[in-house]
Amino acid sequence: MDTRRTELTDPRTGRARGTAPLSREPEVAAAVAAARAALPAWSAATPKDRARRLDRLAALIEENAARYAARERAGTGKPESETAGEIEQVADLFRFYATAARTRTAPAAGRLVEGHESWVRWEPVGVVGVIVPWNYPLLMAAWRCAPALAAGNTVVAKPAETTPDTLELLAEHAARALGEGVLRSLPGDRTTGRLLVESPVDMIAFTGSGAAGRDVVARVGTRRTSLELGGNAPALVLPDAPEDTYAALAEAATYNAGQSCAAPARVITLTGNYAETVRRLTAAMAARTAGRDFGPLNNADQAARYDRLVASSGARLDAAGPLDLAPGEEAGHWRPARLLADLPHDDPTITEEVFGPLLTVQHADTVDAAVALANSVPQALAASVWTTGLSTGLDLVSRLDAGETWVNCHLVQTAELPHGGRGSSGHGTDLSTLALHEYQRPRTVTVRLTGARP
């Protein structure tokens, strides 16, 4: 057994907080074999039985919410106000998919060919390898694992190297509620992830960076993948935007320290409204205090990347908000809310996903030009429009290249609504009943009726 371990760091203080295993070939093989062994019984269970067990898992999450919150906070530094809401969402997701598994729909069935009866069965893909990032360690695991399990698959889930804590606990509770081997946690680093991708799993569901996603695709070959590869979301702010637009954007941009793939990143407004937008967003971002309203960046590598992008920016206006740190947190990965304006359209903080508590502001002379700016980056995950004109807002939503769009709000999500990207943001669907089909495959069955000609 390989006993190599990695050191875990508290992002609030920058200090070591423990260690975690680095799984290698023996551990990966054992986890996949356990999932394969558990597959026949789990996939053969009726939707009612799977639903009952998933509901029990949701109850265990709720009963142990304080333990989950403590682990999530240790790995991410999130404030309690964020962890409490996310754990509630996780329990809700497992309950949602417990019900969704019993209300499936199928394509056409019936006597579609003379003398024959046909129908379609939706079957699980098999063993699903899930790889999730560090920004939402438990929530992203639930987004992937809940529909995969509800669809009848077994899962081997690899958390990010820096945040193995909550997925380990989820796997413990899954063993009690679902059965041994149905959901396994596989802690480790990038090497662990590559080993899982190359192992004999039937599908890989990956959430992470674009570069890592391309590496996954190269290794997976013809097996199925579901990829969510980040975003760089525009927010179109028109002159008639609602009064609360600026505070709402600042809150969404700093939630989870801006480490959300769908977070607003690029504010685009009209030239005549530019100065007012910059003024009001500067004030709104300054009102968001790191250490009080949001947490730190997750790890030293991400903090260094963020600093490089900010340092390389050609912005002539750089406004940063305050920090309010507790004693001992001075060496943590804290970054203030920041607004950059008066910058070129090819600035690296515009063309790349910054993944931090930062907003850029651009302007265009016409609405058409503003839409072109919004669609000018390869990522196409999410976008928002801010206007009191409902017709205008709905028209612009249809013109934005994004898988999820909002009008006069941002980051509003629920289990019933699908989330997924386009372009370099990947493909596939998280959330909603549509996500069940990510982890299923159709089988057409046709039967010749008695006496019919062959």
Side-chain angles (χ1 to χ4, degrees):
M1 180 70 69
D2 193 318
T3 58
R4 283 174 288 189
R5 303 183 70 84
T6 185
E7 185 175 89
L8 301 176
T9 300
D10 186 336
R12 295 165 295 186
T13 64
R15 293 196 292 266
R17 63 180 183 87
T19 64
L22 290 175
S23 301
R24 291 294 182 260
E25 287 91 345
E27 294 82 12
V28 173
V32 173
R36 185 69 65 187
L39 180 62
W42 181 251
S43 62
T46 64
K48 178 181 178 179
D49 187 35
R50 283 204 298 270
R52 179 181 59 80
R53 298 190 205 181
L54 288 168
D55 191 67
R56 176 54 183 151
L57 178 56
L60 285 172
I61 294 167
E62 291 172 333
E63 293 164 13
N64 293 273
R67 294 177 64 193
Y68 279 102
R71 289 188 177 214
E72 194 81 343
R73 186 164 166 76
T76 65
K78 296 174 187 278
E80 293 179 6
S81 59
E82 293 185 7
T83 55
E86 289 170 18
I87 291 165
E88 183 179 337
Q89 289 181 59
V90 168
D92 179 66
L93 275 167
F94 280 100
R95 284 218 167 88
F96 173 82
Y97 282 107
T99 301
R102 303 183 67 182
T103 56
R104 296 174 294 176
T105 59
R111 197 163 300 183
L112 305 176
V113 179
E114 183 179 354
H116 298 75
E117 188 78 18
S118 302
W119 62 91
V120 175
R121 295 177 52 180
W122 284 104
E123 301 176 343
V125 174
V127 177
V128 179
V130 166
I131 301 175
V132 294
W134 41 255
N135 55 327
Y136 294 100
L138 183 62
L139 189 58
M140 292 295 97
W143 278 26
R144 292 300 197 174
C145 295
L149 293 167
N153 303 278
T154 54
V155 174
V156 177
K158 182 207 164 296
E161 181 178 355
T162 60
T163 53
D165 313 77
T166 44
L167 188 50
E168 177 187 40
L169 185 58
L170 182 65
E172 292 175 13
H173 288 147
R176 290 168 53 185
L178 311 182
E180 289 291 339
V182 176
L183 171 60
R184 291 286 297 260
S185 174
L186 188 69
D189 54 9
R190 292 182 180 179
T191 297
T192 308
R194 294 187 184 105
L195 290 170
L196 178 60
V197 169
E198 293 172 347
S199 73
V201 295
D202 301 295
M203 174 183 175
I204 290 292
F206 175 84
T207 303
S209 71
R214 290 187 291 274
D215 183 71
V216 167
V217 170
R219 296 172 187 273
V220 165
T222 58
R223 290 172 293 160
R224 184 182 296 192
T225 59
S226 178
L227 305 172
E228 203 269 63
L229 306 179
N232 193 358
L236 297 188
V237 177
L238 300 189
D240 65 344
E243 185 65 26
D244 64 352
T245 293
Y246 310 96
L249 280 171
E251 181 177 356
T254 56
Y255 183 84
N256 198 32
Q259 298 168 122
S260 301
C261 293
R266 301 177 293 126
V267 174
I268 302 168
T269 191
L270 299 183
T271 301
N273 193 49
Y274 178 66
E276 176 73 0
T277 299
V278 169
R279 181 184 69 80
R280 299 191 68 173
L281 277 177
T282 298
M285 292 291 275
R288 301 287 294 172
T289 300
R292 182 195 70 193
D293 299 315
F294 60 93
L297 299 183
N298 180 260
N299 55 76
D301 289 344
Q302 173 59 18
R305 179 182 178 275
Y306 174 89
D307 291 342
R308 286 195 301 271
L309 285 169
V310 172
S312 65
S313 174
R316 292 193 294 270
L317 189 154
D318 182 348
L323 298 173
D324 183 12
L325 307 183
E329 292 184 340
E330 296 81 6
H333 307 311
W334 299 92
R335 296 298 184 273
R338 173 172 257 108
L339 183 133
L340 300 179
D342 296 345
L343 69 177
H345 292 325
D346 61 350
D347 195 86
T349 59
I350 289 173
T351 59
E352 298 188 39
E353 182 183 25
V354 176
F355 224 55
L358 182 147
L359 281 176
T360 61
V361 187
Q362 300 168 270
H363 63 89
D365 292 336
T366 66
V367 171
D368 288 346
V371 171
L373 275 182
N375 294 336
S376 66
V377 300
Q379 304 95 339
L381 183 64
S384 61
V385 178
W386 301 78
T387 174
T388 52
L390 180 59
S391 296
T392 299
L394 293 178
D395 174 65
L396 290 175
V397 158
S398 68
R399 297 168 61 188
L400 290 170
D401 186 16
E404 187 169 10
T405 51
W406 297 277
V407 178
N408 296 335
C409 57
H410 204 111
L411 283 186
V412 177
Q413 295 171 317
T414 182
E416 291 85 351
L417 296 173
H419 167 84
R422 304 172 177 181
S424 68
S425 289
H427 59 78
T429 301
D430 290 318
L431 302 178
S432 83
T433 56
L434 298 177
L436 287 171
H437 290 328
E438 289 288 292
Y439 306 97
Q440 294 174 318
R441 53 189 176 183
R443 179 196 295 271
T444 298
V445 180
T446 297
V447 179
R448 181 168 61 91
L449 301 178
T450 302
R453 295 175 60 187

